[in-house]
């Protein structure tokens, strides 16, 4: 299969691919997603095959607006209405109860809930509106690898496995959306993202919990990113919590570092062994996956040290992804 790169004036071609049951990668403000019509079970199953994704890992349902979501949601609680009014379109995913039989088990994992998202991207809005159906939208990468933030990342992982990639340029946020579970008595963030629990609490006028537990091997996760290994490059990753510790590490030619500019300028390492995360945490959010992918293509790199952050809820999303990439390994001198 030849994977085509489509431009913004070729959305109609992407729609035709999807109608035929084929797979198309699409841009969002967070990361690139891998699309198939959410109501076509065989197409959805092909998403799992293309990514090499475990089949008990539910998929996000990407919609063009609230009305499309209401076709499948059992009901839309007042909490959801508040969050939709404030954050949609945007990097927020809502987990709701769904109408029985409205979505295939390949989307829900056999659960009574589904995660809905309305991304803030004009190309994707046009795609879904013209299609007339929601599409699933897991990250358009090989399962366990860093999520894609440019079309080239998608092509690297999925060329020959999907029909097309809509090239919308670099993503704005760089980390996947916040997922909040509204199917339970007390709202709980299942996956942190750019929108923090504090911001959600402020809009809802009530406390929002943060999931800290692990999903057992036999359990089906309610949302993506809760159970399996994610975001990991080939070389092992170590989180460096204290920037002073970078000065204590014995760097070798096969060692790489991803950190803020203020840290990198103090390190005696070749330029090709460094990746700038930018000037602050917001930059680091945007650049983390690109950093991990950059060193993933360098066969000689055997160890990657990445700067950690401790900035409260603002750094939850970054540290969630980095800890998964590092399998929880933190550098201790």
């Amino acid at each position: 299969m030849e994977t085509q790169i489509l431009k913004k004036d070729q959305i109609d071609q992407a729609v035709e691919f999807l109608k035929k049951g084929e797979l198309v990668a699409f841009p969002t403000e967070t990361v690139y997603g891998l699309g198939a019509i959410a109501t076509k079970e065989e197409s959805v199953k092909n998403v799992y095959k293309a990514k090499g994704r475990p089949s008990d890992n539910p998929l996000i349902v990407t919609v063009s607006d609230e009305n499309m979501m209401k076709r499948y949601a059992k009901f839309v609680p007042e909490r959801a209405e508040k969050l939709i009014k404030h954050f949609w379109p945007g990097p927020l995913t809502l987990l709701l109860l769904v109408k029985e039989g409205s979505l295939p088990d390949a989307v829900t994992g056999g659960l009574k809930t589904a995660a809905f998202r309305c991304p803030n991207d004009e190309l994707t809005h046009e795609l879904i509106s013209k299609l007339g159906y929601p599409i699933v939208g897991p990250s358009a990468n090989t399962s366990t690898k860093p999520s894609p933030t440019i079309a080239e990342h998608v092509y690297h992982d999925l060329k020959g496995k999907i029909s097309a990639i809509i090239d919308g340029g670099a993503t704005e946020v760089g980390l996947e959306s916040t997922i909040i579970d509204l199917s339970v008595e007390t709202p709980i963030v299942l996956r942190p993202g750019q929108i923090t629990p504090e911001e959600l609490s402020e809009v809802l006028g009530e406390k929002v919990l943060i999931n800290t537990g692990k999903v057992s091997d036999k359990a089906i996760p309610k949302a993506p990113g809760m159970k399996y290994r994610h975001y990991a490059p080939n070389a092992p990753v170590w989180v460096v919590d204290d920037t002073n510790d970078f000065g204590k590490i014995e760097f070798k030619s096969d060692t790489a570092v991803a950190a803020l500019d203020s840290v990198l300028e103090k390190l005696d390492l070749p330029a090709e062994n460094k990746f700038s995360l930018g000037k602050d945490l917001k930059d680091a959010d945007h650049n983390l996956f690109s950093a991990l992918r950059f060193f993933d293509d360098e066969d000689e790199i055997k160890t990657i040290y990445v700067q950690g952050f401790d900035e409260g809820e603002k750094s939850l999303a970054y540290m969630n992804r980095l800890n998964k990439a590092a399998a929880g390994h933190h550098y201790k001198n």
Side-chain angles (χ1 to χ4, degrees), residues 60-74:
I60 288 174
V61 179
T62 311
V63 297
S64 57
D65 54 32
E66 182 182 355
N67 287 332
M68 182 176 281
M69 180 185 74
K70 286 180 177 178
R71 297 186 210 165
Y72 309 95
K74 192 172 184 179

Side-chain angles (χ1 to χ4, degrees), residues 9-293:
D9 60 350
Q10 296 177 295
I11 295 298
D12 288 345
Q13 190 170 345
V15 170
E16 290 307 310
F17 280 134
L18 290 169
K19 285 182 177 179
K20 293 177 183 176
E22 298 175 26
L23 308 185
V24 175
F26 59 93
T28 76
E29 77 279 28
T30 56
V31 300
Y32 274 73
L34 182 56
I37 293 180
T39 54
K40 289 192 173 185
E41 187 163 24
E42 285 307 311
S43 298
V44 173
K45 287 181 178 178
N46 286 334
V47 169
Y48 287 99
K49 292 177 184 177
K51 284 175 58 67
R53 179 187 177 104
S55 59
D56 67 345
N57 202 2
L59 300 173
I60 288 174
V61 179
T62 311
V63 297
S64 57
D65 54 32
E66 182 182 355
N67 287 332
M68 182 176 281
M69 180 185 74
K70 286 180 177 178
R71 297 186 210 165
Y72 309 95
K74 192 172 184 179
F75 63 93
V76 180
E78 182 181 355
R79 287 166 171 162
E81 295 283 7
K82 287 181 178 179
L83 295 177
I84 288 169
K85 183 177 180 180
H86 198 87
F87 294 112
W88 273 21
L92 179 65
T93 297
L94 310 176
L95 191 81
L96 302 173
L97 294 170
V98 293
K99 296 174 184 176
E100 187 175 353
S102 64
L103 292 168
D105 286 351
V107 173
T108 65
L111 300 176
K112 296 180 179 181
T113 55
F116 295 93
R117 168 153 138 75
C118 179
N120 186 19
D121 185 277
E122 290 183 8
L123 293 179
T124 295
H125 268 271
E126 183 181 355
L127 174 71
I128 299 173
S129 295
K130 286 187 172 183
L131 183 64
Y133 293 94
I135 56 178
V136 293
S139 55
N141 60 317
T142 300
S143 188
T144 78
K145 291 299 182 183
S147 297
T149 55
I150 56 176
E152 287 81 358
H153 291 164
V154 183
Y155 190 79
H156 177 277
D157 281 16
L158 300 179
K159 62 181 177 181
K161 297 180 180 180
I162 65 177
S163 293
I165 302 164
I166 302 171
D167 188 354
T171 63
E172 179 184 348
V173 178
L175 295 178
E176 298 92 342
S177 63
T178 303
I179 301 178
I180 183 169
D181 186 355
L182 299 178
S183 71
V184 290
E185 184 175 347
T186 302
I188 181 169
V189 171
L190 301 180
R191 182 179 72 186
Q194 184 186 55
I195 298 170
T196 67
E198 183 179 26
E199 291 172 311
L200 295 169
S201 294
E202 186 176 342
V203 171
L204 291 175
E206 61 180 307
K207 180 67 175 178
V208 171
L209 302 177
I210 303 171
N211 176 64
T212 56
K214 292 185 177 180
V215 179
S216 68
D217 290 341
K218 295 182 179 180
I220 298 174
K222 272 190 164 184
M226 295 182 66
K227 181 176 180 180
Y228 295 100
R229 178 174 176 260
H230 282 276
Y231 319 121
N234 293 325
V237 174
W238 289 83
V239 183
V240 181
D241 297 298
D242 185 345
T243 56
N244 291 321
D245 284 343
F246 278 109
K248 304 171 185 177
I249 298 171
E250 183 182 351
F251 294 119
K252 301 177 182 179
S253 60
D254 60 1
T255 302
V257 171
L260 296 183
D261 293 338
S262 57
V263 174
L264 292 179
E265 64 186 18
K266 299 175 183 177
L267 302 182
D268 185 19
L269 266 175
E272 59 268 24
N273 292 53
K274 299 178 181 180
F275 191 97
S276 170
L277 292 177
K279 296 180 179 180
D280 54 26
L281 174 59
K282 184 177 180 180
D283 287 347
D285 284 345
H286 180 76
N287 293 320
L288 176 61
F289 288 148
S290 292
L292 296 176
R293 280 187 171 271

